[in-house]
Amino acid sequence: MQADNPEAVIVDDSGVSAGRALMSVVSVAHEELVILTVEGSIDVLTAPQLSEAVSQALSGRPRGLIIDLTSTEFLASAGMAALVAAHEAIAPNGLFGVVAAGPATTRPLTIMGLDQTMILYPTLTAAVTAMTCPEGMVDRPAG
């Protein structure tokens, strides 16, 4: 996977191997936010890679973390657990949001009630706007 943004850092770009789904994570710093864009499947085999990317992103102590699942094709319970752990890792002082618009991501998050725990955004633009514009921050809980 090639990053379109010259400032993007590819955290993981592993290839397909027997019994392992392809997943890549691209990390981009934007103002005081870190955006992790996940492409592929997040399952029991790849969720640790997402957790590692989150740890690396949070080591710089950003004001907020956005995990963009727009290009995620499958989200298993292990992936949802990684999202919950990311949310807990940045809370209570940091902002956290998940971009999930497709049925492969929105549906499992909603069924599990995680839309009540973390803020879901329909687009990356909406998430960035909400976390960077003072007007977008009104009534938004930290974490």
Side-chain angles (χ1 to χ4, degrees):
M1 181 170 120
Q2 294 294 327
D4 294 334
N5 183 332
E7 296 178 18
V9 176
I10 298 176
V11 177
D12 179 58
D13 193 22
S14 57
V16 176
S17 60
R20 183 174 181 164
L22 173 67
M23 184 189 83
S24 61
V25 180
V26 176
S27 177
V28 177
H30 177 76
E31 296 185 18
E32 295 178 29
L33 305 175
V34 174
I35 302 165
L36 297 179
T37 301
V38 183
E39 183 177 312
S41 298
I42 310 172
D43 56 25
V44 70
L45 296 174
T46 59
Q49 295 167 331
L50 176 57
S51 296
E52 178 61 29
V54 167
S55 293
Q56 288 179 15
L58 295 181
S59 69
R61 299 199 178 268
R63 195 180 71 149
L65 175 65
I66 298 171
I67 300 181
D68 182 1
L69 302 179
T70 304
S71 297
T72 301
E73 300 161 357
F74 178 73
L75 180 62
S77 59
M80 289 184 271
L83 293 175
V84 170
H87 181 248
E88 291 173 351
I90 198 164
N93 299 321
L95 301 171
F96 182 75
V98 175
V99 179
T105 54
T106 304
R107 189 166 192 266
L109 291 168
T110 304
I111 287 171
M112 295 304 296
L114 294 177
D115 60 326
Q116 302 301 309
T117 304
M118 58 187 75
I119 301 171
L120 301 183
Y121 296 95
T123 65
L124 181 56
T125 301
V128 170
T129 300
M131 290 190 186
T132 57
C133 295
E135 305 83 46
M137 305 276 283
V138 175
D139 298 326
R140 291 290 185 184

